[in-house]
Amino acid sequence: MLSGAAYGDAMLTQRSLVDEPGARCVVDYSLAKRAALHSLKAGRLRPEEACDAQIYLRRAARYHGLPTGETCPVCNAEDLTLVLYAFGDDFPNGGNGRARARKELRELATVLPEFTVFAVEVCLGCGWNYLVASYVLGTGESVSRRRSRSSSQA
Ligand SMILES: [Zn+2]
């Protein structure tokens, strides 16, 4: 369980994620992110290591990203964008691990049993990127069905 207020402004984005109806197994990486930013400022982490958003991530941020209204903590020039990647056994071929719009995730959550969403914040200016949260969405229904299907292997 998240107790968001303790993390201050860094939680705004994550809180809106956790408000996602039906989100389960929420993991909050804001402390790790703070540590990374601290290392960066202290010179223990090089900017080219922290700000290494690849072309696919940048593209996903441009086309599927959610605006956060938060300024990048590294360059202080651009607003951060959140990219939501969805992983699960129930996606059709090629659909696993794709960046998806939030609306699409909400629709999928009503039809698919279970998938995990990884939220990555990206700065299109300097390339800063960090996994800030993960959570599970889905109807949760077929877990027992799946179990009974694979029970012969147990
Ligand atoms: Zn930046």
Side-chain angles (χ1 to χ4, degrees):
M1 279 288 115
L2 283 173
S3 54
Y7 301 113
D9 59 323
M11 281 307 294
L12 281 175
T13 303
Q14 283 153 5
R15 183 173 299 176
S16 76
L17 282 176
V18 177
D19 281 347
E20 197 63 49
R24 309 186 291 274
C25 306
V26 178
V27 182
D28 168 17
Y29 297 99
S30 60
L31 287 181
K33 177 183 135 182
R34 289 206 161 188
L37 286 169
H38 193 76
S39 297
L40 194 61
K41 286 192 173 118
R44 291 191 300 273
L45 179 66
R46 287 179 298 145
E48 58 268 34
E49 292 175 288
C51 302
D52 61 348
Q54 302 296 309
I55 181 78
Y56 292 110
L57 181 55
R58 286 173 185 266
R59 199 175 290 161
R62 196 159 280 134
Y63 295 111
H64 299 284
L66 296 166
T68 66
E70 280 180 55
T71 306
C72 173
V74 178
C75 68
N76 288 308
E78 299 266 341
D79 277 358
L80 294 169
T81 300
L82 265 185
V83 182
L84 305 175
Y85 287 101
F87 289 84
D89 295 335
D90 301 301
F91 288 116
N93 284 346
N96 195 20
R98 260 185 41 201
R100 293 171 190 270
R102 198 176 196 188
K103 182 170 174 281
E104 190 185 2
L105 291 175
R106 285 186 174 155
E107 287 164 5
L108 289 167
T110 65
V111 291
L112 292 181
E114 189 175 282
F115 57 92
T116 304
V117 179
F118 293 92
V120 180
E121 69 176 27
V122 184
C123 172
L124 286 170
C126 69
W128 160 258
N129 60 105
Y130 208 87
L131 172 68
V132 293
S134 69
Y135 53 92
V136 173
L137 289 178
T139 61
E141 274 168 354
S142 82
V143 175
S144 58
R145 238 188 295 155
R146 199 182 295 154
R147 225 171 252 151
S148 62
R149 233 190 295 147
S150 59
S151 61
S152 55
Q153 296 162 9

